[in-house]
Structures are given as C-alpha cells and as structure tokens.
Amino acid sequence: MVSLRFPTAAILRLPPTQAPNGFAIAATVAAAAAAAAAAAASLTLTAKSAGRPVPRPAPLWASLSLADGAAPGSVEPRTGVTFPIEAAAGRRLLGIGLRKTSVLGLKSIDVYAFGVYADGNDLKQQLKEKYSKFSASELKENAELVNDTLERDIRMTVRLQIVYGRLSIGSVRSAFEKSVGSRLQKFGGHDTKELLQSFVALFKDEYKLPKGSVIELSRESNHVLKICIEGEEVGSIQSKLLCQSLLDLYIGDDPFDKNAKDDIHQNIASILKS
C-alpha cells in the first residue's frame, strides 16, 4: 500500500480568533476551499510519483461498486448480489437482472440473479463490419443487433447466482426443460426433444444448490455450450440451436428481465463504437 503524505503547505492555518463578521466568514470559507484543492492536488501528485496510476472513470459497460474489501463489480439492486465486471477469459459484463417466478399466480419469488457477459473482441470481429455505418444512438435502437449477437459465434457467459434458499436441482431441470424447450421449438421446430433431453440431463440430482450457489452457462467457440456448477464443469454440447435458444431467455424478444436486456443491448452498441 502506498503511504500518502501531504506537504505542510497544504495545512490550513487560521488567523487568530476574532468576532465573526461577513468578511471574515467569507475569507475563512475561501481559505478552506483553497486548502482542500491543494490537498486534492497533492494526493494526485503523490499517487503519480509513487508509480500508481490515477483512477479513471469506469467504462460504459461496467457499473462499479467499490464496497470496503470488495472487488469491483455491479450489484443487482433487489437481491444485493454482486457480479464481477469481468468473467473468465476476460469476458465483459453487459448487464444484470433477476429471474422471478410465481406460485399459483399469486406469490412472486426471486429465484436467481444473473449477469450476462461477452467477449469484446468477438463482438467487434463478428459485428463491427456490418454495423460500422450506424451511430451509437442508431445501434441502441437496432433490434437486429441483438439477433445477430444471438446467432453469431460470439463467446458469452450467463452467470446465475441462486437467491432462493429452497431451490432444488430438480426445479432447475424442470424450469429449463420448459423455457429452453419452448425456444428450441421457436428456432428449430418440433424435432428437438433429443437435444433438449441431452441438455437437462446434465443437471443431475447429485448437485445441490444452496443459496449463493453459482451456475455458469457459456457459449464457447464453434457454438459449444458449456455448463459449470459451483466451478465444476458438468458437461458440454455443441449445438448452435441450443446456444441460441438458451441465450434468447436473457436477451431475446421475451426476456426474463426486460431492463437487463435493454442494458445489454446498449452496452453491445457501446463496445462496437469504442
């Protein structure tokens, strides 16, 4: 840790105490402001002289939370779950959201918070040529941009963190069977049952999901879907259709969290224009 020392010239020296008047108060306030500015300048110079870079504003795709002792990340506000601004292999956080479900149509339950990540270089290589003529504002309104992100060979990760304490792996399996199954039919027709079963079969009963557990669903190069539970790889399947169907849950036309999808869209546009 760098020890920061302020030069004595930055210490505020007040004149002898006098009866307050308008001029004296104004002079004191001005002197205090000057001292604060000198201290700030000293802090910047000391950091530079110690070889430590002066902090810069966070990039567009990252909303930073610098809680004491915590790594930089973005916080899902309802659950307080923090997502790192970078996932494995340098994938950038594009947006965060919340998956909810209802019981008998009456009670809403928060199931898991999620963060969607993508490889910035892949986004540029796959999309920049097509969308280079568009302005940033035009890209943020262009629905085709998200569709291309779904279809192209872009490495992405959806990180799920469980917030419901009574969630079982069987419930996760059933939920994905329904939601991913509907997307497989949407993109690939009705002959997708075998592909769906090969996917949900990876969520075996031996895996436990206490509150705080993490599941990562990653599209790797050549449209390989890799599933990790608590850091352990449980299987992978090469299928462009399956990757597209899974990602559609989070950034497609009818996403789990509309606000998250909008943030992801805008941050993809920002990366393409950077």
Side-chain angles (χ1 to χ4, degrees), residues 48-228:
K48 285 183 176 179
S49 64
R52 191 180 69 187
V54 178
R56 296 181 179 180
L60 290 172
W61 55 84
S63 172
L64 297 182
S65 170
L66 297 178
D68 291 342
S74 188
V75 179
E76 197 291 308
R78 182 177 173 91
T79 61
V81 173
T82 300
F83 291 89
I85 60 173
E86 282 196 359
R91 295 174 197 185
R92 299 173 177 179
L93 180 62
L94 300 178
I96 56 176
L98 185 62
R99 172 62 166 132
K100 300 179 181 180
T101 190
S102 59
V103 178
L104 301 176
L106 300 174
K107 183 180 179 181
S108 178
I109 295 174
D110 299 337
V111 182
Y112 59 78
F114 65 86
V116 176
Y117 298 78
D119 185 283
N121 291 329
D122 284 356
L123 285 170
K124 290 180 179 181
Q125 290 173 5
Q126 294 285 336
L127 302 174
K128 195 163 188 175
E129 182 178 356
K130 177 177 179 178
Y131 292 101
S132 60
K133 63 182 179 181
F134 294 93
S135 68
S137 59
E138 289 173 332
L139 285 177
K140 291 174 182 179
E141 299 298 326
N142 192 322
E144 190 175 353
L145 175 61
V146 175
N147 292 333
D148 282 336
T149 303
L150 281 172
E151 294 181 7
R152 300 290 184 91
D153 190 14
I154 298 169
R155 288 171 291 176
M156 299 182 70
T157 294
V158 183
R159 177 186 173 96
L160 320 178
Q161 183 159 332
I162 308 302
V163 298
Y164 181 57
R166 299 172 61 185
L167 187 68
S168 69
I169 194 71
S171 298
V172 172
R173 189 166 54 237
S174 297
F176 275 138
E177 187 168 16
K178 180 178 179 181
S179 58
V180 176
S182 67
R183 267 45 174 210
L184 286 172
Q185 291 185 14
K186 169 185 174 181
F187 294 115
H190 295 284
D191 189 21
T192 56
K193 289 183 179 180
E194 184 176 347
L195 178 58
L196 176 61
Q197 289 307 309
S198 66
F199 169 63
V200 298
L202 296 175
F203 296 88
K204 299 176 182 179
D205 290 334
E206 63 192 75
Y207 299 110
K208 307 302 178 185
L209 295 175
K211 187 175 181 180
S213 299
V214 173
I215 300 173
E216 289 187 334
L217 310 166
S218 299
R219 177 170 63 187
E220 303 297 342
S221 297
N222 299 317
H223 301 281
V224 173
L225 180 64
K226 182 178 73 175
I227 298 92
C228 293

Side-chain angles (χ1 to χ4, degrees), residues 30-44:
S42 175
L43 174 62
T44 300

